[in-house]
Amino acid sequence: MSRNFIPPHEIRTRFSRAMSVMYREEVPAYGTLLDLVRDVNDKVLADDPALKKKLSESDNLERISEERHGAIRIGKPEELQTMSRLFGVMGMKAVAYYDLTQAGVPVHSTAFRAIDAEELSKSPFRVFTSMLRTELITDPDMRAKCEEILEKRDIFGDELRFLIEKAEKDGGLSDEDTDTFIMEATNVFKWHEDAVVDKDFYLKLKAIDPRAADIVCFKGPHINHLTPRTLDIDEVQRQMPLHGINPKNVIEGPPPSCPVLLRQTSFKALTEPVKFHGVEGEHTARFGEIEQRSAALRPEGRSLYDKLLNEVREKIKPALDGSNAAEYMQVLEETFQAFPSTHEAMREQNIAYFQYFLTEKGKNHHGAVTRNINNLIRDGLVDYIPIVYEDFLPVSAAGIFSSNASDHDTKDLFKSSSQEDFENALGHEVLSEFDLYEAIEKASIDKVLRYFK
Ligand code: OOG
Ligand code: NI
């Protein structure tokens, strides 16, 4: 790479900051949430010097409260392909496939993110990207109209296309080009108050599916939420109402006692004024979310997680009015007693991924040892920490769509799984998240074992 090029992780960081500034301006409640997250994080660190020390070794404390993900929804394969190239400039690749039709939402998705350990530690910022499946709009007339509207639009513009091509051709972007690139890229995701359809069409499409209306009726794929990292999600959830923001009823994901995957919650999507060809109306889509991440699970761990979560849902579904929230959390907690609660147990049962490193004792050790990772751990020469889960909760993603976009219960409307269709639209395959975690784990084991050679 030329010396004058800005490294992809820096473009990614600048992009996530620019998005944060824009979104705070667009959605003041999001700014309030960010302030709250920062206050709670500061307090957690002040109250727990050991945690502060530990985090200062692995994370940049100044950036602890920054955004970790955002989400967008797009309308056609050409947009997905260009999106893939746009995120590619920032070192982000399509990882994992999420079939949201399983929850009655007519989209399927991937997450664009950095993939290796070093890049992730520099900036883990990721964007959950969903594409509308117009073929699931059953009314032929409405479907044709949606496709016609989407066909006509160009959400990127010439300048941005030019810079994407330039970055691909030259292998990077200069500082100046990076500034323009960030400005243009951020623009793609900004809010447009003026819808591109009339109010009747909007209402008709919204009645078919509110997410379809969110995608088709506006000029571009406005960012629909950003999500900073919190060190105490239960506390932020508790405090949201005290700051005038209205949280969802329950935190999604595993219970507090089970440090796997991620837990997340958000404030309910806001109803905002928009104009339909000059006619006043409103639209509900945008919100603010928080996340707390833990261990990435192997397929076996994921199956156990899914199984237990399904058991929970068979026993109790969180009511839309929040009336059974406490009971839900209790059932969740009880059901997940069947899940190992310590990382040690997860390692023994081989259900999570770990990163291995030399202890001080290991670094000072001279002489022969058996090159067996378990013995090295037993002898205190090697230790391990879980690999952080960098992806999304499929069920949880669906939960977000349904509880934020409408008040209807999630329906099991569409049933087909179609990763292949998605990959055809994308123009290439998505990466397997499991393969990526496996590679990070293996590289860390190899490195440790090489030391004792
Ligand atoms: C995406 C929802 C997925 C998450 O945190 O699970 C997501 C959407 O609402 O468009 O961001
Ligand atoms: Ni999200």
Side-chain angles (χ1 to χ4, degrees), residues 10 40 42 68 99 140 185 269 283 289 338 409:
E10 196 179 320
V40 169
D42 286 348
R68 303 299 155 127
D99 183 7
H283 180 60
E289 186 184 51
D409 261 333

PDB file of all heavy atoms in Angstrom, residues 10 40 42 68 99 140 185 269 283 289 338 409:
ATOM      1  N   GLU A  10      -8.729   3.012   9.538  1.00  0.00           N
ATOM      2  CA  GLU A  10      -8.915   4.428   9.873  1.00  0.00           C
ATOM      3  C   GLU A  10     -10.103   5.018   9.113  1.00  0.00           C
ATOM      4  O   GLU A  10     -10.863   5.829   9.648  1.00  0.00           O
ATOM      5  CB  GLU A  10      -7.636   5.214   9.568  1.00  0.00           C
ATOM      6  CG  GLU A  10      -7.685   6.566  10.259  1.00  0.00           C
ATOM      7  CD  GLU A  10      -6.442   7.398  10.014  1.00  0.00           C
ATOM      8  OE1 GLU A  10      -5.331   6.825  10.010  1.00  0.00           O
ATOM      9  OE2 GLU A  10      -6.596   8.621   9.807  1.00  0.00           O
ATOM     10  N   VAL A  40     -22.801   5.856  32.331  1.00  0.00           N
ATOM     11  CA  VAL A  40     -22.837   4.541  32.984  1.00  0.00           C
ATOM     12  C   VAL A  40     -21.482   3.842  32.815  1.00  0.00           C
ATOM     13  O   VAL A  40     -20.938   3.274  33.768  1.00  0.00           O
ATOM     14  CB  VAL A  40     -24.002   3.683  32.441  1.00  0.00           C
ATOM     15  CG1 VAL A  40     -23.878   2.232  32.909  1.00  0.00           C
ATOM     16  CG2 VAL A  40     -25.339   4.262  32.860  1.00  0.00           C
ATOM     17  N   ASP A  42     -18.540   5.231  32.437  1.00  0.00           N
ATOM     18  CA  ASP A  42     -17.570   5.906  33.319  1.00  0.00           C
ATOM     19  C   ASP A  42     -17.725   5.423  34.757  1.00  0.00           C
ATOM     20  O   ASP A  42     -16.747   5.174  35.452  1.00  0.00           O
ATOM     21  CB  ASP A  42     -17.775   7.437  33.290  1.00  0.00           C
ATOM     22  CG  ASP A  42     -17.255   8.041  31.985  1.00  0.00           C
ATOM     23  OD1 ASP A  42     -16.544   7.306  31.243  1.00  0.00           O
ATOM     24  OD2 ASP A  42     -17.555   9.216  31.700  1.00  0.00           O
ATOM     25  N   ARG A  68     -20.677   0.565  17.923  1.00  0.00           N
ATOM     26  CA  ARG A  68     -20.175  -0.731  17.475  1.00  0.00           C
ATOM     27  C   ARG A  68     -20.922  -1.248  16.258  1.00  0.00           C
ATOM     28  O   ARG A  68     -20.439  -2.106  15.562  1.00  0.00           O
ATOM     29  CB  ARG A  68     -20.260  -1.766  18.603  1.00  0.00           C
ATOM     30  CG  ARG A  68     -19.516  -1.334  19.856  1.00  0.00           C
ATOM     31  CD  ARG A  68     -18.045  -1.149  19.564  1.00  0.00           C
ATOM     32  NE  ARG A  68     -17.417  -0.227  20.475  1.00  0.00           N
ATOM     33  CZ  ARG A  68     -16.312  -0.503  21.178  1.00  0.00           C
ATOM     34  NH1 ARG A  68     -15.751  -1.664  21.068  1.00  0.00           N
ATOM     35  NH2 ARG A  68     -15.798   0.408  21.957  1.00  0.00           N
ATOM     36  N   ASP A  99     -31.646 -14.960   7.649  1.00  0.00           N
ATOM     37  CA  ASP A  99     -32.912 -15.077   6.930  1.00  0.00           C
ATOM     38  C   ASP A  99     -34.038 -14.525   7.794  1.00  0.00           C
ATOM     39  O   ASP A  99     -34.601 -15.227   8.620  1.00  0.00           O
ATOM     40  CB  ASP A  99     -33.167 -16.552   6.594  1.00  0.00           C
ATOM     41  CG  ASP A  99     -34.430 -16.725   5.798  1.00  0.00           C
ATOM     42  OD1 ASP A  99     -35.032 -15.693   5.395  1.00  0.00           O
ATOM     43  OD2 ASP A  99     -34.841 -17.870   5.576  1.00  0.00           O
ATOM     44  N   PRO A 140     -49.512  -8.368  -6.897  1.00  0.00           N
ATOM     45  CA  PRO A 140     -48.658  -8.186  -8.080  1.00  0.00           C
ATOM     46  C   PRO A 140     -48.514  -6.720  -8.493  1.00  0.00           C
ATOM     47  O   PRO A 140     -47.447  -6.285  -8.933  1.00  0.00           O
ATOM     48  CB  PRO A 140     -49.353  -8.997  -9.184  1.00  0.00           C
ATOM     49  CG  PRO A 140     -50.690  -9.363  -8.656  1.00  0.00           C
ATOM     50  CD  PRO A 140     -50.706  -9.181  -7.179  1.00  0.00           C
ATOM     51  N   ALA A 185     -20.240   8.960   1.525  1.00  0.00           N
ATOM     52  CA  ALA A 185     -20.797   7.702   2.052  1.00  0.00           C
ATOM     53  C   ALA A 185     -21.823   8.002   3.141  1.00  0.00           C
ATOM     54  O   ALA A 185     -22.899   7.406   3.188  1.00  0.00           O
ATOM     55  CB  ALA A 185     -19.683   6.810   2.596  1.00  0.00           C
ATOM     56  N   ALA A 269     -38.773   2.802  18.345  1.00  0.00           N
ATOM     57  CA  ALA A 269     -38.645   3.663  17.170  1.00  0.00           C
ATOM     58  C   ALA A 269     -39.564   4.874  17.285  1.00  0.00           C
ATOM     59  O   ALA A 269     -40.697   4.779  17.769  1.00  0.00           O
ATOM     60  CB  ALA A 269     -38.963   2.871  15.915  1.00  0.00           C
ATOM     61  N   HIS A 283     -43.778   8.758   9.851  1.00  0.00           N
ATOM     62  CA  HIS A 283     -43.125   7.488   9.566  1.00  0.00           C
ATOM     63  C   HIS A 283     -42.366   7.038  10.818  1.00  0.00           C
ATOM     64  O   HIS A 283     -41.744   7.850  11.493  1.00  0.00           O
ATOM     65  CB  HIS A 283     -42.159   7.656   8.388  1.00  0.00           C
ATOM     66  CG  HIS A 283     -41.441   6.394   8.021  1.00  0.00           C
ATOM     67  ND1 HIS A 283     -42.108   5.256   7.630  1.00  0.00           N
ATOM     68  CD2 HIS A 283     -40.108   6.078   7.988  1.00  0.00           C
ATOM     69  CE1 HIS A 283     -41.215   4.295   7.366  1.00  0.00           C
ATOM     70  NE2 HIS A 283     -39.996   4.770   7.576  1.00  0.00           N
ATOM     71  N   GLU A 289     -29.913   2.127  19.982  1.00  0.00           N
ATOM     72  CA  GLU A 289     -29.764   0.797  20.590  1.00  0.00           C
ATOM     73  C   GLU A 289     -28.448   0.743  21.372  1.00  0.00           C
ATOM     74  O   GLU A 289     -27.554   1.555  21.150  1.00  0.00           O
ATOM     75  CB  GLU A 289     -29.765  -0.229  19.444  1.00  0.00           C
ATOM     76  CG  GLU A 289     -29.764  -1.683  19.860  1.00  0.00           C
ATOM     77  CD  GLU A 289     -29.673  -2.593  18.635  1.00  0.00           C
ATOM     78  OE1 GLU A 289     -28.779  -2.384  17.787  1.00  0.00           O
ATOM     79  OE2 GLU A 289     -30.494  -3.501  18.536  1.00  0.00           O
ATOM     80  N   ALA A 338     -29.339 -24.329  32.240  1.00  0.00           N
ATOM     81  CA  ALA A 338     -28.797 -25.481  31.518  1.00  0.00           C
ATOM     82  C   ALA A 338     -27.584 -25.112  30.661  1.00  0.00           C
ATOM     83  O   ALA A 338     -26.956 -25.986  30.069  1.00  0.00           O
ATOM     84  CB  ALA A 338     -29.892 -26.091  30.641  1.00  0.00           C
ATOM     85  N   ASP A 409     -48.060  -8.568  16.045  1.00  0.00           N
ATOM     86  CA  ASP A 409     -47.220  -9.678  16.473  1.00  0.00           C
ATOM     87  C   ASP A 409     -46.454 -10.236  15.274  1.00  0.00           C
ATOM     88  O   ASP A 409     -46.914 -10.199  14.152  1.00  0.00           O
ATOM     89  CB  ASP A 409     -48.090 -10.773  17.080  1.00  0.00           C
ATOM     90  CG  ASP A 409     -48.082 -10.694  18.600  1.00  0.00           C
ATOM     91  OD1 ASP A 409     -47.084 -10.204  19.159  1.00  0.00           O
ATOM     92  OD2 ASP A 409     -49.062 -11.127  19.199  1.00  0.00           O
TER      93      ASP A 409
END
